[in-house]
Amino acid sequence: MPRASGPLAEALARRAVLLDGGLSNQLAAQGCDLSGDLWSGRVLAEHPDQVVAAHTAYVRAGAEVLITASYQVGYETFAAHGHDRAETTALLRRSVQLAARTAEAADHEVWVAASVGPYGAVLADGSEYRGRYGLSVRALAAFHRPRVEALLAAGPDVLAVETIPDTDEAEALLTVLAETGAPAWLSCTVAAGRTRAGQPLDEVFALAAASPQVIAVGVNCCDPADVLPALEAAAAVTTKPLLAYPNDGSVWNATTRTWHTPDDPVPWPTGAWHATGARLIGGCCRIGPDRIAALGPLPGTGGRRNRGE
């Protein structure tokens, strides 16, 4: 069956859509080794069947969007581990192909979102939670351009520009998107009402509001408590659909490569998120298929998530 009946933007104009959860935690739950700088990209290269299994687990949980395993795949990092440019391009395309294969086998419509992670992700040192890498907007655009081109060549439904920590990187990515004309969502990682680099959220959301390529804007990989204030900031500067896929509130320690889990997890007020404009809702790191299944049916869907709504 076709993996989706139409563009994701059209679906968002009608209803809320359920995203998947954290790919890395599901791969770990399946027994995959994610140690080293390549992280989930290592599994993509060595055990693609495990990536399909992870995607399948989320489809069975009701996810309507699969985010590809390309988040941490970068030419420079993979070159340092023996992958030439052609091999890395093939891996980026493979990530889309694996998600598409899973989507086509689903019993409900599923969109494929090609993950475009931040520059900090390929450094594997937690920089995506700090931003301000010391690179110019032009240099950041040059870094992202070939990754975006490789992903688009594989035919995803949309680009998931995600976990963006600062305004400079958002500007760079929006520049690349304008060159391609491809639909994308832009999702920032935030803390305490600002970007991870400490900038006002209205600035980065206003950039996304002005981009015709951006079909939705919001936040991911943040504490659930930070979601609603960020969505309210976005709603103040854009009428685009909003999105939210936080983690479980844990904090990543890049030195020990461990998560520090909160003692008292924050409830997810998805009804309030939806009322503020969120139309893409799911989970990020440490949110597995069981949590995604518990999110559905989303507010505003009438309990329906299948083809032909």
Side-chain angles (χ1 to χ4, degrees):
M1 64 187 295
R3 66 192 189 211
S5 59
L8 180 59
E10 293 182 1
L12 296 180
R14 301 192 308 270
R15 63 180 180 89
V17 173
L18 184 64
L19 293 168
D20 61 6
L23 184 63
S24 61
N25 49 261
Q26 180 57 25
L27 290 172
Q30 293 170 192
C32 298
D33 183 359
L34 275 69
S35 63
D37 293 347
L38 301 186
W39 199 44
S40 58
R42 175 181 174 185
V43 183
L44 175 66
E46 298 176 359
H47 302 288
D49 56 316
Q50 292 288 348
V51 176
V52 171
H55 287 323
T56 300
Y58 283 114
V59 167
R60 290 174 177 166
E64 299 173 278
V65 179
L66 294 176
I67 301 174
T68 65
S70 50
Y71 175 83
Q72 201 156 359
V73 179
Y75 287 97
E76 297 81 0
T77 302
F78 272 67
H81 289 266
H83 296 267
D84 64 25
R85 194 168 189 84
E87 290 171 335
T88 302
T89 295
L91 285 175
L92 287 164
R93 294 180 179 178
R94 174 189 286 180
S95 72
V96 177
Q97 294 159 355
L98 297 179
R101 183 195 310 170
T102 310
E104 288 160 4
D107 63 358
H108 58 274
E109 67 178 343
V110 176
W111 288 268
V112 173
S115 175
V116 182
Y119 175 80
V122 305
L123 301 178
D125 64 357
S127 292
E128 66 263 53
Y129 300 117
R130 298 190 298 270
R132 293 300 193 187
Y133 317 114
L135 298 179
S136 67
V137 171
R138 182 175 180 178
L140 287 168
F143 166 80
H144 284 293
R145 187 173 289 110
R147 302 169 72 217
V148 167
E149 291 172 349
L151 290 167
L152 288 176
D157 297 299
V158 65
L159 295 172
V161 178
E162 56 181 354
T163 325
I164 306 305
D166 67 39
T167 305
D168 288 349
E169 189 160 25
E171 183 180 348
L173 280 156
L174 292 171
T175 298
V176 174
L177 292 178
E179 296 167 358
T180 68
W185 76 61
L186 178 68
S187 184
C188 298
T189 178
V190 302
R194 303 179 77 84
T195 70
R196 293 283 186 161
Q199 302 138 328
L201 291 182
D202 58 349
E203 293 181 3
V204 66
F205 292 146
L207 289 175
S211 170
Q213 284 73 48
V214 173
I215 66 167
V217 62
V219 295
N220 78 291
C221 210
C222 61
D223 192 302
D226 286 320
V227 170
L228 187 56
L231 293 179
E232 291 171 342
V237 296
T238 182
T239 58
K240 293 179 186 287
L242 306 183
L243 62 90
Y245 53 115
N247 55 40
D248 67 347
S250 297
V251 176
W252 176 249
N253 185 316
T255 302
T256 62
R257 300 184 70 85
T258 56
W259 288 98
H260 296 281
T261 305
D263 294 331
D264 298 308
V266 176
W268 288 26
T270 54
W273 298 352
H274 182 268
T276 307
R279 295 297 178 268
L280 278 169
I281 297 175
C284 200
C285 299
R286 300 173 63 83
I287 302 300
D290 56 338
R291 295 284 301 274
I292 295 302
L295 287 177
L298 292 173
T301 62
R304 301 173 299 167
R305 288 204 296 260
N306 295 322
R307 175 181 299 280
E309 293 185 55

